[in-house]
Amino acid sequence: MPTAIITGITGQDGSYLAELLLKKEYRVIGVARRSSTVNYERIEHIVDDITVVQGDLQDQGSLLSLLEEYKPSEVYNLAAQSFVPTSWNQPALTGDVTALGVTRMLEAIRFVNPKIRFYQASSSEMFGKVLEVPQNEDTPFYPRSPYGVAKVYGHWITVNYRESFDMFATSGILFNHESPRRGMEFVTRKISNAVAGIKLGKTKELRLGNLEAQRDWGFAGDYVEAMWLMLQQDHPDNYVIGTGETHSVREFCEIAFSHADLDYKDFVVMDEKFYRPAEVDLLISDPSKARAALKWEPAVSFKELVTIMVDSDLARLKR
Ligand code: NAP
Ligand code: F7E
């Protein structure tokens, strides 16, 4: 039975990846940071099938101990301060966790067992003010937030440990992926939750920032499959993962509200508060390398994703 360590187990992707690895008969060790209240909402249904251990990307010793104790063959580094607006309010913390945290995990692997296969959760935010459309593995980076800058560091330190120490260190450059488990502050979940609230008479309006921003949105359940596939290859590499389609926040609103027989124009209010100091206007992936090398394809379409999220929030709020 292979053992995998997942940092960020309490997050959206951590929960889907744990489900996938359990199906593949892995022993799953999920790393959660200590908090005063337990935060297992996304993993409640599998918590008895995995081992949740305390650890923190800000604490080198905790990472070393974990690797020594559980002897994994694969480490998936999904933990991060991942909300872009927070990265302007807490830029140093974002750098410490999202950038330096990667080095701490790579160092722990180098000391304990450099043969461990390592996955780094890199991001399309690294492309930022895009220098090429669509974006592939060779597109230069131009990050537009402290989060994007931290992810560029995380990406390059992963590549550097691969080249310096011959480690199996892979970087998955994933475009936005969403699900009913997405955090409430991200725009897709904010919209699906508001649509459900408005439909059920609990909310009156939805305040949003830039409706024209365009993203390549896929379903998180499809994307964790790509993470696993990357670590099953003969060699470590970098892969872009996305749908190859882009849609605006406005389009997301149109589909989400109309799925509940509502018109978004009656409820969406523009609010300067949600504009960013520097915006990423357009992201669209070229995932042809992943398609060819990993035989990976997303299964859920954009429209399906929107309706799955709205239906899930409607069901939840009705309960
Ligand atoms: P998420 O839901 O925000 O989850 C982040 C996880 O990191 C949470 O479990 C969080 O724990 C944990 N964490 C934060 N600080 C930590 C620390 N100091 N030590 C240990 N754990 C810590 O993010 P996600 O959407 O699942 O994304 C997973 C990864 O992929 C992240 O690295 C993200 O930046 C990256 N990514 C995401 C997307 C996307 O569209 N979802 C796209 C590209 C890349 P708490 O629950 O305690 O906060
Ligand atoms: O914003 C616009 C906003 O916060 C998407 C993270 O997982 O994906 C995510 O980062 C777009 C932006 O995600 C609101 O300006 C409009 O252009 O849902 P988001 P993100 O910033 O793309 C990448 C790939 C990651 O790696 C990150 O970790 O939507 N937008 N109005 C809004 N965004 C929010 N949050 N709230 C609004 O009211």
Side-chain angles (χ1 to χ4, degrees):
M1 192 188 235
T3 298
I5 288 189
I6 303 175
T7 69
I9 190 72
T10 54
Q12 170 189 258
D13 291 6
S15 67
Y16 283 107
L17 180 63
E19 281 172 10
L20 178 79
L21 297 184
L22 285 173
K23 275 197 210 119
K24 296 188 182 295
E25 305 201 329
Y26 276 69
R27 177 172 69 134
V28 176
I29 314 296
V31 183
R33 55 183 170 163
R34 191 263 162 191
S35 67
S36 64
T37 48
V38 173
N39 168 23
Y40 292 175
E41 200 183 313
R42 295 183 176 106
I43 50 169
E44 252 165 18
H45 59 297
I46 50 168
V47 82
D48 293 335
D49 305 320
I50 65 178
T51 306
V52 182
V53 295
Q54 268 186 27
D56 199 305
L57 284 191
Q58 294 183 280
D59 188 278
Q60 180 77 69
S62 70
L63 306 179
L64 280 163
S65 311
L66 284 172
L67 299 186
E68 271 165 359
E69 184 171 353
Y70 293 101
K71 303 187 174 20
S73 49
E74 297 173 6
V75 168
Y76 295 86
N77 186 39
L78 308 187
Q81 191 303 96
S82 77
F83 190 48
V84 172
T86 296
S87 77
W88 278 285
N89 299 333
Q90 300 180 14
L93 176 126
T94 301
D96 196 46
V97 177
T98 305
L100 275 184
V102 188
T103 307
R104 293 193 190 98
M105 183 56 92
L106 285 164
E107 276 292 88
I109 292 174
R110 187 164 80 86
F111 281 109
V112 174
N113 175 10
K115 296 217 173 319
I116 293 171
R117 293 184 170 212
F118 174 77
Y119 173 83
Q120 168 56 17
S122 295
S123 166
S124 52
E125 281 296 300
M126 302 190 304
F127 297 123
K129 192 172 164 122
V130 295
L131 296 175
E132 189 176 36
V133 179
Q135 297 88 46
N136 64 28
E137 293 78 7
D138 299 320
T139 304
F141 301 134
Y142 190 152
R144 293 273 279 173
S145 63
Y147 168 80
V149 173
K151 283 288 179 187
V152 170
Y153 174 93
H155 169 82
W156 279 114
I157 200 72
T158 301
V159 173
N160 183 263
Y161 271 55
R162 182 196 305 160
E163 293 174 355
S164 305
F165 305 116
D166 200 23
M167 284 167 51
F168 195 110
T170 277
S171 176
I173 306 172
L174 271 52
F175 282 61
N176 298 52
H177 44 280
E178 320 290 315
S179 74
R181 297 182 202 164
R182 187 56 140 154
M184 288 288 186
E185 71 271 60
F186 296 92
V187 78
T188 56
R189 187 72 197 285
K190 188 172 165 183
I191 297 168
S192 65
N193 186 46
V195 167
I198 290 167
K199 184 72 186 171
L200 299 176
K202 294 173 192 279
T203 318
K204 291 206 173 350
E205 63 176 24
L206 169 60
R207 303 188 84 82
L208 290 176
N210 182 6
L211 294 186
E212 311 316 327
Q214 287 175 270
R215 289 290 184 278
D216 178 335
W217 277 298
F219 171 57
D222 291 339
Y223 286 46
V224 297
E225 180 89 33
M227 296 176 188
W228 177 76
L229 284 168
M230 286 180 217
L231 292 201
Q232 312 317 308
Q233 302 306 299
D234 291 339
H235 304 286
D237 209 337
N238 308 323
Y239 298 93
V240 158
I241 301 294
T243 67
E245 275 180 35
T246 193
H247 299 274
S248 65
V249 174
R250 187 183 294 281
E251 269 178 273
F252 197 105
C253 287
E254 270 166 8
I255 298 175
F257 278 84
S258 77
H259 184 58
D261 299 320
L262 300 167
D263 184 341
Y264 82 98
K265 293 194 199 98
D266 296 334
F267 303 100
V268 172
V269 178
M270 306 278 287
D271 189 333
E272 294 275 317
K273 193 169 81 187
F274 297 108
Y275 277 80
R276 299 178 178 187
E279 178 61 287
V280 169
D281 296 316
L282 165 70
L283 288 176
I284 177 163
S285 64
D286 168 8
S288 41
K289 177 174 169 180
R291 286 207 173 113
L294 307 177
K295 312 273 179 279
W296 178 84
E297 290 283 349
V300 176
S301 72
F302 175 66
K303 197 166 177 200
E304 282 165 347
L305 174 67
V306 180
T307 57
I308 288 169
M309 290 179 71
V310 171
D311 287 341
S312 165
D313 276 321
L314 275 168
R316 187 180 55 82
L317 287 189
K318 275 184 195 154
R319 278 197 304 273

